[in-house]
Amino acid sequence: MTSIPELQSPQLPSPTFSVSHQKLELDIDLLTRRLKGRTEILINPHSKDLKTVRLNCRQSDIRRVTAGNKHCPNVVYEEPYSKTTLRWDAGVHQHHLLRRKIEGQLKNPPEEELVINLPKSFKIEDVDPFSIAASTPLGARSSVGLNSKEDHLGEASSARTAVEQDLRYKPFPIVIDFEISQIRDGIQFVGWESEDLRYPHAYTKSFSAPGKACCLFPCIDSLAARCTWEISIKCSKTIGDALSPPRLNMVNGTGSGVNGVHKDIVNSALDSFQSNMSAEDQALELVVICTGDLTDEVDDHAVPTKKTSIFSCTSPLSAQQLGFAIGPFEHVDLAEFRDGAEDDKLGQNAVPLHGFCLPGRTEDLRNTCLPMAKAIDFFTLEYGSYPFSNYKLCFVDDISPEIIHTGFLSICSNNLLFPADIIEPLERTSRQLIHALASQWMGVSVIPKEPTDTWVVVGIAFFMTDAFLRKLFGKNDYGFRQKQTMDRVVDLDVGRPSIYDTGAVAGLDPFEAKFLELKAPLVLSILDRRFTKTGSASGLSRTISRVFMNATVGDLANGAISTAYFAKTCEKLGHAKLESFFAQWVYGAGCPRFRVAQKFNKKKNVVEMLITQIQVEPPDRDLESHTFMRDVSEEVHNIYAGPLQPVFTGPMTICIHEADGSPYEHLIEIKEAVTKVDINYNTKYKRLKRSKRQKERIVTAGGVDYNPDANDDVLLYCLGDVLQSEEEIQQWRLADWSKEAEEQMSQESYEWIRMDSNFEWICRIQMTMAGYMYLSQLQQDKDVVAQYESVQFMAAQNHHPLISTIMLRTLMDPRYFHGIRTAAAAALVKHAKEGDMDWLGLFHLEKAFQYFFCYNDSPMPRPNDFSDRAAYFIQCEIPKAIAKVRDAYGRSPIRARTFLLDKLKFNDNSDNEFSDCHYLATLIEGLSEAMASKPPLGSDSENDFTFAENDGDDIRFQNSCLEEIDRYRRADEWFPSFHNILSCTALNSTRILSRAGIISPNPSHLIQYTRDGTADDLRLNAFSNLFDMGLLNKSHAVLRWFLYAMGTDPSPYFRNQAFHLLGKYLGTLAIGSTADKEAEQQQQDSLIIEQESSTDARKADLARRTTVAGALAALREEVKDNDTLKRGLWTAITSPALSFAEIKDLLDLCAQLYKEESSMLLKLKYPRYWQCRKVGRDSHQTFAQTSSSSSSSPSAPSSATTITPQYPTSVGVGGQERRRSRSNNRKCSHNHLSHAPATDTDTAIGEEITV
């Protein structure tokens, strides 16, 4: 259930041999989930003493093994999944016993399950130095009978591994015949159940975790064990053929059915299945998409309804980098979106690009994958040739994670597809798909040498992705996202290990990998800027292309890159020493924070600057429910913060915008914690005019005619100059600078100063610069990062009419990037205050929405028109901001709630070519949060709060809001929105309003969405809301149902997300809910504690909120008597639907919750004693005694305890002793029957004995 697996060390798993080629033949029965296979592995021995070959293999039944055409009778193999249960009535307290059984499969890398002992008669021969086998490994393959084609000799010989280059002993093939009677892991089957109405298809799950690839075929399951492949996959030709009943009459030579199920039952289920599928659907052809090049597709002569697809992969790949999908996929040639100019430039180097999707999604595929052709051409020209012959994207259901990276092929989730009328997912989905393409270069072709080198692979792949997105979406979008990412990294990188150390624990929790994805490309981006600063025009791109070239020609051993190799290549091509850079940003942890003070020295004509660098110690923070399981994992695995950097050093660019309007850049070197620098001042202008409006007012006040064409002084004027007329100022209630501020501005010698103007640091900078300088930076600096910094500064200030005016003008100016405008809209919330502000910020938000999206002088919204993406984002952001407006008591004002209700009620999307589902979801969510706002407990207004009519918040208004929300929920059931977003938002509203006491909790309303067959996202949303409403603590039935669904649902995506929901639920139990915290705080504020005995309890409560140990202790106390949780967890652990990775996650969870108990619960059924009583003249009634007087208490424990049941005897007719075991109250007629008296050894039926 961990979506991001741990990376294993790409060391060769055995020094005694290697694999140079593997041939794989698979015959897959899609309906019964059976597989027959044969693999031929070409072994390169490293020694003549090789006697044993160890391979990874799971869930297979090994039929036959030969080595060099000699049968291997001595093969050791135990199917690992047979160990996933204990053979007695165990429970969660025996989790350690189950872990002990499967410990070898949970290791990283896992232990080899298949041990092949070579026959004594088998001899390893030296290679003849004059033979073909000595010159090329492919000659060795042909000499042992592998079906290699001559036309692939040249290409494959250029891809030889380092082991093949030093071939000393003659390779030999090991051939293994195997079967899988029921595929449990490795392949995900979707739509093959009669109740599942989706198109049937199947695909390989993520093999990136150790032990995944060997679930389907014997292999060396290691990222470093790379070889060439030949793959043959046999399956049915059409869906109808896969569902053909005659095929079910004979399985394994018997007519009894499939997997022990009677054939009549199976055929009856098939009839029901086929009745739900039209003849047209049954005729759909099943397409096989696989790693490698499709070389042939042949019909099966023995079974005419089957076909075999043959793929060849001449580029060395590991078993973990293979993947395939089978289904009725439709093909889209994505190369048709390639520009003619690019096609001519690339010529024969243009890479074929293919997209595959399920029927009916081709238009969505075209829309989603539109930029892929441009991306692959950009990468090819910028970084070097594509490492494979073609690239394929295949979209499937139920996949987890959303994209699986394999050679030649990316298997993606259908959730990533979106139609042309959906706006929201464009940037996010494009980045995911382009990163999948970049991973073919860095991640599949080139791999990390050690887990700690993962940051190089992750960083370069995302650096390439961002480089193309900069070209696709523009510099403003790129700079804005980089700034937001930097701010997030600075916040997160406190008390964390370095990115070098994080790679080794990337599989511990999804957050570890996510943090690596954030910081690693950011580190490379600042390295790229420093290269560019020193004169390297190509920056880091040249280094990356050199890495790919070295991997292609074989200079990069096994295609594995290390941090040291990457640093050395950067130094060589960048002509700079980078020891300190890598020591600080790669091997070191944390991010610097700067405080800057500046002053203009008129006497020296310099700007004096004092730059102080500070490092932040990890603060004491309260635990949070959604991060609790991550905190526990880090605590258990001893993941601590990296060493605190004493000081970060390096060059920094300071840009001073002087009075003449020119930016002057100055490069300084940060070497110490405190840096003092004097920067020369260049301009001679002393008096500034901040804007054209200011100049007009100053000139008019002096009685002089204003000539705008005159050049007698410098006029600095740029963005944000809207709403300048006197009429507009009055209508919009705008404020202006005071005379004192204007006088102070006129005395300044420079406009503003920007630290790190070239974005060469990951840091946070606090400057003592006047507010009007930030305004100049916002209005005159063309860099979107500078503008965003100005908005951030003003958003942090106290509410003021002037700041509200500035933010409004920024929002209203369409020349700003839409991210700056939405940030300004969010900042206006702070200025929506009553009292002296008179709700000015709210007025500005309402006025701006009316100006852009309503009829003139009317609050009635115009029909939606989302053709302008920037305007769409503004239309969504303003209602979000209005929903956050609160009065002095924390309640949303009635005008804000009415605004949201009106926009929701009168929304008109009839003439819009785009869907409004995300916009409606924004309105519903905002209205729910506004309705749920109320005065905090114990406030002065609590007793005076009423639903008065003049307040407008009466029952009718509430009902009107609830009806409107429910109307959209019901409409979504008939006409589903994109990913059921309206239904999900309506369920969230139910949770928000019920927790606020607006409506009564109704669990049945949410539970109906948790049924099987409901869309996964909607189902998970319903479970999440049940958790947040605290219903799992109140209803064991809901918890039981959730745990059952988590353990048995066939979708790995659902199981993975459900596991994270369980972690959040346990986190809430451990640290307490938010409502509990507020109530307790209120109680502490209002009560006087008279007894000191409560001190210990308060300390324990503080510990559970601030320390992992305290929270775990509280959690164990909470769940120790919860039998529903215990049974549900153990049932999930022993479920046949779970993989080893999922079992490991649950066992880790049990290890934290429950104490180990090495005990066994035995249930012994003893014979019951018969009694007879007379019921008539000639008849007797016999019945069983249901209890006895014996004691079942165990004796004192000893080193070896043996239980020997003592069976009592019954003496029957003629003195014969016989044991009797019958059911209760069984009646019979006897003339004579006696009953032996009970003895001390008598035990009741089903008595439980603990050993």
Side-chain angles (χ1 to χ4, degrees), residues 584 613 647-651 668-675 761:
Q584 293 171 125
Q613 183 178 163
V647 63
F648 283 81
T649 62
I668 66 171
E669 192 74 21
I670 303 293
K671 297 181 180 180
E672 299 176 351
V674 179
T675 303
W761 289 71

Side-chain angles (χ1 to χ4, degrees), residues 843-885:
F843 171 78
H844 284 163
L845 287 169
E846 292 173 334
K847 189 78 172 176
F849 191 92
Q850 179 183 353
Y851 178 85
F852 285 124
F853 311 112
C854 297
Y855 291 105
N856 293 334
D857 300 326
S858 171
M860 181 65 64
R862 296 193 302 265
N864 294 329
D865 180 11
F866 298 157
S867 57
D868 185 347
R869 286 179 56 82
Y872 167 77
F873 290 125
I874 300 299
Q875 187 170 353
C876 291
E877 187 62 34
I878 292 178
K880 282 184 187 178
I882 292 178
K884 297 177 182 178
V885 174

